[in-house]
């Protein structure tokens, strides 16, 4: 009887330890969505920059690619949630940080285009760079991952550069933001995740 009880206590401890390990591994995020959105926005911003240079009238249509990424992300997250055994408080906080980001992006996009009219392009990239920095920096703080924190700060520095860089080059600043805020941290997160999950 004593042996059975002690085995069951040891078993319980092992189970708790394994759950903590799983939560820690999950906490170390695999970086996939940072890479997805980093590459999509980088592609769209660089492509629109060149389409504007050749004076292609419907240069903005390249951004419809982001809708495909949204649809893919919805299915990806649903599938990931079904397979996920442990969901931490950290996961919840990070999720709501990014939901706030999406709401802010939508509202500011509507407000800027409504208030500025055809002059919206003068404000849209500087404001979006500020907004890009918010969830990136906060995710870095929550996950204790400095490359994301530096990426967020980088977005804010690039937003200030829009005051001295001509408007036609703002899309290149957005491209640079994607590299430093989402693509590089995304690959570093993936590397960290692989080390934690051999």
């Amino acid at each position: 009887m004593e042996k059975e009880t002690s085995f069951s206590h040891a078993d319980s401890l092992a189970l708790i330890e394994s759950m903590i390990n799983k939560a820690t591994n999950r906490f170390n995020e695999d970086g996939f969505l940072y890479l997805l959105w980093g590459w999509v926005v980088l592609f769209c911003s660089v492509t629109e920059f060149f389409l504007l240079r050749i004076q292609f009238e419907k240069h903005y249509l390249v951004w419809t690619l982001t809708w495909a990424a949204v649809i893919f992300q919805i299915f990806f997250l649903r599938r990931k949630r079904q397979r996920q055994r442990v969901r931490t408080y950290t996961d919840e906080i990070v999720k709501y940080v990014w939901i706030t980001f999406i709401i802010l992006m939508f509202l500011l996009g509507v407000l800027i285009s409504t208030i500025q009219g055809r002059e919206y392009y003068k404000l849209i990239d500087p404001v979006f760079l500020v907004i890009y920095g918010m969830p990136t920096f906060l995710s870095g703080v929550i996950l204790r991952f400095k490359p994301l924190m530096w990426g967020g700060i980088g977005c804010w520095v690039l937003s200030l550069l829009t005051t001295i860089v001509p408007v036609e080059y703002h899309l290149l600043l957005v491209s640079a933001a994607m590299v430093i805020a989402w693509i590089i941290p995304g690959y570093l997160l993936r590397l960290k995740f692989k080390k934690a999950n051999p």
Side-chain angles (χ1 to χ4, degrees):
M1 188 78 170
E2 270 181 41
K3 279 185 183 176
E4 238 179 71
T5 311
S6 69
F7 177 75
S8 121
H9 285 308
D11 229 18
S12 298
L13 287 171
L15 179 65
I16 291 165
E17 189 181 355
S18 88
M19 286 180 77
I20 289 168
N21 287 337
K22 280 178 188 169
T24 305
N25 289 343
R26 177 65 186 88
F27 180 79
N28 286 334
E29 173 75 54
D30 67 3
F32 177 78
L33 289 175
Y34 290 98
L35 290 171
L36 171 70
W37 282 103
W39 282 111
V40 167
V41 176
L42 175 67
F43 174 81
C44 291
S45 53
V46 168
T47 304
E48 188 180 20
F49 173 78
F50 284 111
L51 291 175
L52 282 164
R53 302 295 283 178
I54 61 168
Q55 298 182 339
F56 183 73
E57 193 181 338
K58 297 190 176 179
H59 52 86
Y60 52 85
L61 286 178
V62 70
W63 291 96
T64 55
L65 181 61
T66 59
W67 287 107
V70 167
I71 293 163
F72 175 80
Q73 181 178 335
I74 289 165
F75 286 105
F76 172 80
L77 288 175
R78 187 179 292 170
R79 194 173 165 201
K80 193 173 185 179
R81 203 173 293 116
Q82 286 168 353
R83 289 181 301 179
Q84 195 174 333
R85 290 181 186 178
V86 180
R87 188 149 186 86
T88 66
Y89 186 59
T90 301
D91 295 325
E92 288 298 307
I93 297 171
V94 171
K95 180 179 87 173
Y96 284 107
V97 163
W98 285 96
I99 287 171
T100 304
F101 163 74
I102 292 162
I103 293 167
L104 285 175
M105 287 285 287
F106 174 75
L107 290 175
L108 285 166
V110 170
L111 290 170
I112 290 168
S113 60
T114 304
I115 295 165
Q116 291 290 110
R118 296 184 77 173
E119 299 282 294
Y120 77 95
Y121 64 91
K122 290 181 180 177
L123 265 183
I124 202 92
D125 292 326
V127 169
F128 278 8
L129 282 168
V130 173
I131 301 300
Y132 287 147
M134 182 272 296
T136 308
F137 182 82
L138 287 177
S139 295
V141 171
I142 295 162
L143 297 170
R144 296 177 188 171
F145 192 67
K146 286 189 179 177
L148 281 174
M149 292 168 68
W150 285 112
I153 293 166
C155 288
W156 296 329
V157 170
L158 289 166
S159 74
L160 289 173
L161 284 179
T162 61
T163 60
I164 56 171
V165 171
V167 175
E168 58 267 29
Y169 294 103
H170 285 184
L171 282 165
L172 293 183
L173 295 178
V174 172
S175 305
M178 291 305 98
V179 173
I180 63 172
W182 293 351
I183 293 174
I184 292 172
Y187 281 116
L188 292 173
L189 277 167
R190 177 173 282 188
L191 196 65
K192 191 173 179 180
F193 181 81
K194 283 181 179 175
K195 281 182 183 175
N197 300 275

